[in-house]
Amino acid sequence: MDSLKKHANWIVAGILLLHFAVSLSVSAQESAIYDEKAHIPAAYSYVRYGDMRLNPEHPPLLKDLAGLPFLALQPAFPLQSSEWQAGVNEQWAIGDMFINCTRPDMLCNDADALLFWSRLPIILLSVLLGIMLFVWTKALGGTLAGLFAVTLYAADPNIIAHNHYVTTDLGSAAFIFAASYFFVRFLKAPSLKNVVVAGIFLGLAELAKFSAVLLFPLFGLFAILYALTKQRPESDAGNMISFKLRTLFQYGFKFTGSVLVCFALIWSLYAWNTINMPGEKLVDAADLYLSQQNAPAMFAHALVVNTSGSELLKPFSEYFLGVAMVFSRVASGNPHYFLGEVSSQSSPWYFPVVFLLKETLPFLFLLFFALCYSLYRIGASVAAGHIRSLSSFFAFVGRSIRRKPAQYLAASFILLYGYVSITGNLTIGFRHLFPILPFLYMLVAKTVFDFLKRRQAEPATHKTCSWIFGIMVFIIAAIPVLAYPGYLSYFNPAAGGNANGYRYVTDSNYDWGQDLKNLDGFVETHNRCKAGTESQSETGRCAITAGYPAIDRIRVDYFGGGSPIYYLQDKYIPWWDKREPESGWYAISSFFYQESLYRQKRPEERNYEWLQNIQPVTRAGDSIFIYYIPEK
């Protein structure tokens, strides 16, 4: 144990270096996922042209980071296209041109190069989150707890699955966690430096994803609670009420200053990203997306219209347009497949079920243990007579918040964010729970090591617990090795593993378009096998499809951000479920397969029901089913 503590920094560096290498490797094997087709061209247009007309429903920070490497590459961009010149948020069409070479007369970029360089900053941000997690957990629970928290984080297949995509999920988790860390430092020592730093990181969190707006009421509440629970120093000559009022005013005033710093940063980054953006584009977007006849939408529309023409107010006009678009989308919902049903209405069971299916079994066990042990400790305090009345209960809570603001803030954020997610109407992926994961790793690691420390007085029990914990760490470290490289489609063994996850949920939980390059690789390998030029023609890969003809054409129903024609070229036949079945090769995304089977349809409407009793020949990755239908 002493050796682990002594070399902790090197161990963390090794864990995160391996995490970085695995992330790079997986990224190189995967095609563009669905959302990247919108985010990547927006990223370049922000940093190169100072124009946010694409993808305004998300803040610009993470796209700015993803777009910075493009300044050296200088890829071609469709500035002269009608979609850019006259369109309103034509992010998907621009994405096809920019990434997938759908307009070779105008431009043609290397899709793999664009993916590599835009994803690299997100992977680096993932490493920084691991470092922050170690630093904060070490401060709360000791060096070993910090090492364990980093292990939980770096070995989680869900983190590895998403930490290389140009989306907002991993980045929002990183900046919300960092903002919370620096806010706790502000609570403990509200100096001018800590006020400014806390405001900067609060601003970065808001610039990463709009869901970070939850931090404003949460941080404000904790600033009040911490002020009210602060002990009066013996040197203070005033009475308790005057001390409480002075402390409350001090924290309220300084937290307000922190919020002002936050909005100054928001204005600054939005100003840089909209410096060349015509104000009319904001009005066009507001007309398109905020046309609902309800009071919030009408208010947001009027705000954008009245501020978009001012260079001083345009950054906030763009910011509030994005906020309004997100709230509008959350209210309307998104069609999704969940447990045999396709619906736009959310289920309160969605996130709890998906969490239980996709998180690893060791982590679920540890989380359950940590929760039970924490409740046991609270119960022990009650039994010991520390809480005898309502006043003693409030005194206990006050002391706890004063002594453990980080733990209470983390737990409160988990509960608040979880409640908002469960009761919201946007249920399209486990990734939306990412902001709570670093807090869970931290709290679980601290609780586990608190438990082990309390067992030190019982050598036999401590030894047994240590052995169990060691076995658990080994299993946790083995999971990403065994799951490689199918991290996005990871489901724990109790859910049936990667092979069966699509039966429960799809979209970014299983099939986000990541396996198109694997489909291209399968077609090439199979055709080399049939030609006798594949190096493993006698065994291995060629044995899988030995009895099937070469693939001259393949019918593809693909869900994702890549382009089948970019990779498959003249072998690609566009396909969808309503077409009359033919003989030949098929590649069907599990996303479209499940939605086709379970959505409501007219009696005469065709779907993929005819494929239900046909076993796929194989799969491209986990998410694309490959069939061969012989001549009848």
Side-chain angles (χ1 to χ4, degrees):
M1 291 295 184
D2 291 337
S3 178
L4 289 176
K5 292 179 181 179
K6 183 179 179 181
H7 302 292
N9 291 341
W10 287 107
I11 295 171
V12 170
I15 291 172
L16 293 177
L17 181 62
L18 185 60
H19 180 77
F20 177 79
V22 171
S23 303
L24 275 182
S25 174
V26 174
S27 176
Q29 298 175 54
E30 293 184 341
S31 49
I33 50 94
Y34 188 83
D35 284 19
E36 285 183 313
K37 188 162 72 172
H39 285 266
I40 291 177
Y44 183 55
S45 67
Y46 292 7
V47 299
R48 178 67 176 84
Y49 303 111
D51 194 316
M52 280 187 67
R53 70 183 68 183
L54 301 181
N55 198 238
E57 65 267 31
H58 296 291
L61 175 59
L62 297 169
K63 289 193 284 292
D64 285 343
L65 295 176
L68 286 176
F70 290 162
L71 294 178
L73 290 179
Q74 293 288 307
F77 192 83
L79 279 178
Q80 303 308 316
S81 66
S82 59
E83 289 84 355
W84 175 265
Q85 294 286 338
V88 181
N89 192 24
E90 292 283 359
Q91 51 190 355
W92 307 109
I94 297 288
D96 266 329
M97 287 184 270
F98 185 65
I99 300 174
N100 295 323
C101 198
T102 54
R103 295 278 293 276
D105 57 314
M106 297 181 61
L107 57 94
C108 199
N109 295 311
D110 183 337
D112 292 336
L114 293 179
L115 290 176
F116 174 82
W117 288 109
S118 61
R119 287 172 171 180
L120 183 60
I122 309 301
I123 299 175
L124 293 173
L125 185 59
S126 173
V127 173
L128 291 176
L129 174 54
I131 294 172
M132 175 65 73
L133 180 61
F134 170 71
V135 170
W136 200 359
T137 311
K138 177 184 175 182
L140 296 178
T143 303
L144 295 179
L147 287 173
F148 186 49
V150 171
T151 302
L152 290 173
Y153 166 76
D156 191 329
N158 299 289
I159 295 294
I160 304 173
H162 288 267
N163 72 351
H164 54 277
Y165 295 145
V166 184
T167 58
T168 58
D169 305 301
L170 190 282
S172 67
F175 284 110
I176 286 174
F177 192 73
S180 301
Y181 172 77
F182 287 104
F183 175 71
V184 170
R185 291 187 62 178
F186 154 75
L187 288 180
K188 293 180 176 180
S191 63
L192 178 60
K193 174 186 173 182
N194 286 342
V195 168
V196 173
V197 172
I200 289 172
F201 278 90
L202 178 59
L204 292 174
E206 303 301 327
L207 287 164
K209 195 167 186 175
F210 288 124
S211 56
V213 296
L214 294 175
L215 295 182
F216 289 126
L218 184 64
F219 284 5
L221 176 62
F222 265 79
I224 294 170
L225 291 175
Y226 196 82
L228 292 175
T229 60
K230 199 171 180 67
Q231 279 187 313
R232 183 180 60 165
E234 294 182 2
S235 58
D236 192 303
N239 61 39
M240 181 61 74
I241 294 178
S242 64
F243 169 76
K244 294 292 184 186
L245 290 175
R246 278 186 284 111
T247 306
L248 189 60
F249 175 79
Q250 177 194 30
Y251 272 91
F253 178 76
K254 292 185 175 181
F255 178 67
T256 301
S258 187
V259 172
L260 291 176
V261 171
C262 160
F263 275 97
L265 184 62
I266 290 173
W267 183 91
S268 300
L269 194 65
Y270 267 89
W272 182 61
N273 280 277
T274 59
I275 191 169
N276 296 318
M277 182 178 179
E280 309 88 72
K281 288 293 180 183
L282 283 165
V283 177
D284 291 343
D287 290 342
L288 180 62
Y289 294 107
L290 304 179
S291 58
Q292 305 96 322
Q293 295 302 310
N294 58 66
M298 293 174 65
F299 174 79
H301 182 275
L303 183 67
V304 171
V305 169
N306 291 314
T307 57
S308 58
S310 166
E311 290 301 314
L312 181 63
L313 298 177
K314 187 169 66 174
F316 281 135
S317 182
E318 177 75 24
Y319 173 75
F320 287 110
L321 170 66
V323 172
M325 287 177 65
V326 167
F327 278 100
S328 175
R329 188 184 176 203
V330 169
S332 60
N334 202 81
H336 62 281
Y337 168 77
F338 176 56
L339 298 181
E341 183 179 356
V342 176
S343 174
S344 294
Q345 295 301 310
S346 65
S347 164
W349 294 106
Y350 182 89
F351 283 113
V353 168
V354 171
F355 184 86
L356 292 174
L357 294 175
K358 285 193 66 67
E359 263 304 346
T360 65
L361 293 179
F363 181 66
L364 292 175
F365 171 80
L366 290 167
L367 181 60
F368 179 72
F369 168 79
L371 179 61
C372 291
Y373 183 66
S374 298
L375 293 175
Y376 164 77
R377 294 289 302 162
I378 294 172
S381 295
V382 175
H386 297 157
I387 304 175
R388 298 178 179 177
S389 62
L390 188 62
S391 60
S392 63
F393 169 76
F394 284 118
F396 171 78
V397 172
R399 288 194 305 271
S400 299
I401 292 174
R402 186 171 65 249
R403 294 172 182 172
K404 303 175 182 179
Q407 293 94 307
Y408 275 82
L409 180 68
S412 298
F413 178 76
I414 291 168
L415 292 174
L416 175 62
Y417 192 91
Y419 172 78
V420 171
S421 299
I422 289 171
T423 57
N425 199 32
L426 193 61
T427 47
I428 54 176
F430 176 57
R431 62 191 176 94
H432 284 180
L433 292 181
F434 272 28
I436 71 172
L437 292 184
F439 295 101
L440 288 176
Y441 303 138
M442 181 175 72
L443 292 179
V444 166
K446 184 186 184 313
T447 305
V448 167
F449 277 88
D450 282 349
F451 173 80
L452 291 175
K453 286 176 185 176
R454 291 179 181 276
R455 303 282 80 77
Q456 287 178 342
E458 309 163 16
T461 305
H462 183 262
K463 184 177 181 180
T464 302
C465 291
S466 297
W467 271 104
I468 294 173
F469 175 73
I471 294 170
M472 194 78 69
V473 171
F474 177 79
I475 296 172
I476 289 168
I479 287 173
V481 177
L482 298 174
Y484 180 89
Y487 296 119
L488 184 67
S489 52
Y490 176 82
F491 278 71
N492 63 49
N498 290 42
N500 295 294
Y502 75 96
R503 300 180 188 275
Y504 306 102
V505 285
T506 54
D507 208 290
S508 60
N509 300 296
Y510 193 87
D511 176 12
W512 217 5
Q514 74 275 12
D515 284 324
L516 183 58
K517 289 170 74 172
N518 288 324
L519 174 61
D520 180 42
F522 164 77
V523 171
E524 289 188 7
T525 299
H526 175 71
N527 284 344
R528 286 199 304 268
C529 289
K530 302 309 294 184
T533 58
E534 173 64 23
S535 59
Q536 300 181 36
S537 57
E538 298 301 324
T539 59
R541 292 181 294 183
C542 290
I544 297 174
T545 54
Y548 297 92
I551 302 175
D552 297 320
R553 307 292 297 278
I554 184 166
R555 297 151 187 82
V556 180
D557 193 1
Y558 166 71
F559 172 75
S563 168
I565 198 170
Y566 179 86
Y567 290 102
L568 299 169
Q569 299 180 13
D570 60 354
K571 296 182 181 63
Y572 165 62
I573 299 176
W575 200 259
W576 54 95
D577 58 347
K578 293 181 178 60
R579 297 188 65 176
E580 186 74 22
E582 303 173 349
S583 61
W585 286 95
Y586 289 80
I588 313 294
S589 285
S590 54
F591 175 93
F592 284 138
Y593 179 80
Q594 289 295 87
E595 290 215 342
S596 174
L597 292 180
Y598 292 99
R599 70 166 181 258
Q600 292 184 349
K601 68 180 186 69
R602 296 187 298 273
E604 72 279 5
E605 196 173 55
R606 183 175 293 281
N607 64 6
Y608 282 134
E609 204 169 30
W610 63 277
L611 280 175
Q612 277 191 289
N613 296 321
I614 301 175
Q615 286 296 317
V617 174
T618 186
R619 298 188 192 189
D622 290 314
S623 68
I624 300 179
F625 303 151
I626 299 173
Y627 299 89
Y628 178 72
I629 308 301
E631 292 276 0
K632 291 185 179 180

